[in-house]
Amino acid sequence: MELPRDHHQQQPHHHHHQEDPSKLSEPPTTCAKCGDPTCFPPPPDLSANPSYIPIRFPAVNLPNPPTNTKEAIIRTPVPKPQKVDLISPPYHFTAPSKIIHSQDDIVRFHSSPFFHNFTGFIVSLSESIKSRKLSDPYHVSSTIEVIISILQTLSDYVDEILPAPQSARYGNVAYRTWHERMSSDAESFMLKFLRLDLHGAPVELVPYFTDSFGNSSRIDYGTGHETNFAAWLYCLARLGIVTEEDYPALVARVFVKYMDLMRKLQYTYSLEPAGSHGVWGLDDYHFLPFIFGSSQLIDHKYMKPKSIHNEDILENFSSEYLYLSCIVFVKKAKKGLFAEHSPLLDDISGVPTWNKMNSGLLKMYKVEVLEKVPIMQHFLFGSIIKWI
């Protein structure tokens, strides 16, 4: 995926050669069309915006090492799928802890086999749903059915725990009641699908699970919590609880159910975006559904990335494709012109193919989520996902 053009550069060009005497002392700017001086100020300095706002340019003759995130995304190799490394007994489960505190820690983690295996798992999930609709038939194991029922139970809790009356835009305190109930039941949830030889695993699985639904103190949710849910699924794969045969259902059934729950939580309790990039991000809360959704649309005969601007397509197909579902959700959640409140999503709609889109989003996820200390400082390490 080519990285999107600077949104400001998409505006129509106007030039005016009559100079204002009050501005003669300012350095003249030059008209890009004719080369004459203009009285308009130069384009704004984008360095004040989040550093990953990309500018489209060829990935050749770049400085080494990358000096900013835009170059880092371009130069990052597309992550490859990997088979999950299974854990063999004897097991030594331990309560996972936070270890990442600096960029040096990020570098160490990214050089470890566990990091490559985890990212390879995410790519494998993406590939498992390639060119498939959500309504397609999938193998749904008894374990998958139990996980879906757990997520439904958590959704039922939302119906039972009504939001508290308050005037604040974000952070309804009733969410803390929901989170406490979810956390107190988490161990019993795990025991519903664990084999007898894995009944010591909840001490390690529960923290990943409970961190998947947001933070009860800050009443917020973001891509770090979403990554914890992916880590929880990865732990289940390492323990052999789910297999490659389950991967399509993990996306089309489990992850979709998780997304539905998170959107319900976001609306009901007004969860604040955690570390959101605001207008310059893909979405205030999520990243992975854009990856999985773009994979679904690879090689589609009619729909291209630019199809997100077709309201008929969004209305008729958003229930089948995660990417379109995300676009519909963003349009409902945000007011105004799409190009103004979501310039990055608007810009990458110009990518020619879904395959390039998927590759670019995988690279962006690695750089924008898995390499960011403010996100990964909350990531947990134990005996299943080891530090090094």
Side-chain angles (χ1 to χ4, degrees):
M1 179 182 76
E2 284 190 8
L3 291 172
R5 300 177 295 273
D6 172 10
H7 183 64
H8 295 282
Q9 293 175 346
Q10 299 179 46
Q11 305 303 318
H13 177 75
H14 303 286
H15 59 284
H16 183 41
H17 301 306
Q18 182 178 354
E19 300 208 338
D20 184 343
S22 66
K23 298 182 179 181
L24 290 177
S25 60
E26 298 179 3
T29 58
T30 303
C31 174
K33 289 189 174 181
C34 64
D36 287 346
T38 83
C39 64
F40 288 137
D45 179 10
L46 295 181
S47 61
N49 290 322
S51 62
Y52 76 96
I53 302 171
I55 297 174
R56 186 170 294 182
F57 55 88
V60 295
N61 299 324
L62 294 176
N64 188 24
T67 56
N68 56 44
T69 310
K70 290 173 284 190
E71 293 177 4
I73 294 174
I74 291 173
R75 300 185 64 179
T76 295
V78 179
K80 302 298 182 185
Q82 278 195 19
K83 288 186 177 294
V84 169
D85 295 329
L86 296 177
I87 298 179
S88 301
Y91 305 110
H92 302 285
F93 298 118
T94 179
S97 59
K98 300 175 183 179
I99 296 179
I100 293 177
H101 303 291
S102 67
Q103 197 61 41
D104 288 341
D105 293 333
I106 291 283
V107 172
R108 289 186 66 193
F109 178 46
H110 280 226
S111 64
S112 72
F114 297 99
F115 171 79
H116 294 290
N117 201 229
F118 173 60
T119 55
F121 169 70
I122 291 176
V123 179
S124 295
L125 289 180
S126 175
E127 292 199 349
S128 75
I129 203 77
K130 179 180 177 181
S131 305
R132 303 181 72 175
K133 297 183 294 185
L134 294 180
S135 64
D136 286 350
Y138 296 98
H139 165 75
V140 178
S141 66
S142 58
T143 299
I144 297 294
E145 289 178 342
V146 171
I147 294 173
I148 293 171
S149 71
I150 291 170
L151 294 173
Q152 180 58 51
T153 298
L154 295 179
S155 180
D156 294 340
Y157 289 176
V158 180
D159 298 330
E160 298 168 13
I161 302 171
L162 300 179
Q166 65 181 52
S167 58
R169 178 185 177 189
Y170 287 118
N172 194 285
V173 293
Y175 168 73
R176 290 175 177 158
T177 304
W178 179 91
H179 197 280
E180 181 180 0
R181 185 171 177 185
M182 176 272 298
S183 299
S184 64
D185 291 343
E187 182 173 352
S188 64
F189 289 153
M190 302 300 108
L191 294 176
K192 287 184 177 183
F193 56 77
L194 289 176
R195 304 186 306 267
L196 287 177
D197 63 323
L198 294 175
H199 274 199
V203 68
E204 195 151 342
L205 295 175
V206 164
Y208 290 106
F209 181 78
T210 55
D211 281 356
S212 299
F213 305 100
N215 182 278
S216 60
S217 298
R218 298 187 300 268
I219 313 183
D220 65 5
Y221 174 85
T223 52
H225 302 107
E226 180 189 66
T227 298
N228 264 308
F229 189 73
W232 180 68
L233 295 178
Y234 173 67
C235 288
L236 300 187
R238 288 212 72 200
L239 293 171
I241 298 169
V242 296
T243 66
E244 288 188 21
E245 189 180 17
D246 296 314
Y247 285 7
L250 281 181
V251 177
R253 300 292 182 265
V254 172
F255 193 84
V256 167
K257 190 72 175 178
Y258 168 72
M259 283 283 298
D260 290 343
L261 171 60
M262 289 318 308
R263 286 172 176 169
K264 188 174 183 179
L265 288 169
Q266 290 156 24
Y267 266 131
T268 304
Y269 302 122
S270 303
L271 301 188
E272 187 169 3
S276 171
H277 289 293
V279 72
W280 295 110
L282 277 180
D283 178 89
D284 284 343
Y285 299 99
H286 297 286
F287 202 118
L288 289 176
F290 291 94
I291 294 175
F292 300 150
S294 59
S295 180
Q296 281 186 278
L297 286 159
I298 289 174
D299 296 330
H300 196 283
K301 288 184 178 180
Y302 310 110
M303 281 185 271
K304 306 297 180 187
K306 64 182 179 182
S307 297
I308 66 166
H309 303 294
N310 186 313
E311 293 298 328
D312 288 337
I313 286 178
L314 293 179
E315 180 179 351
N316 290 305
F317 297 101
S318 60
S319 61
E320 291 283 16
Y321 298 100
L322 274 171
Y323 196 98
L324 303 182
S325 170
C326 289
I327 298 298
V328 169
F329 184 77
V330 167
K331 286 189 171 186
K332 286 182 179 178
K334 297 185 177 182
K335 306 300 181 184
L337 295 175
F338 184 74
E340 294 180 356
H341 63 61
S342 301
L344 183 55
L345 284 174
D346 180 66
D347 210 7
I348 64 177
S349 68
V351 173
T353 67
W354 289 109
N355 195 56
K356 290 179 70 69
M357 174 79 78
N358 183 253
S359 297
L361 288 173
L362 284 167
K363 290 164 49 169
M364 191 182 295
Y365 182 71
K366 180 177 180 291
V367 173
E368 287 298 343
V369 177
L370 302 181
E371 290 184 2
K372 290 291 186 285
V373 174
I375 295 174
M376 296 304 291
Q377 66 182 350
H378 302 293
F379 198 75
L380 300 171
F381 297 90
S383 72
I384 304 176
I385 303 179
K386 294 185 177 180
W387 167 231
I388 51 173

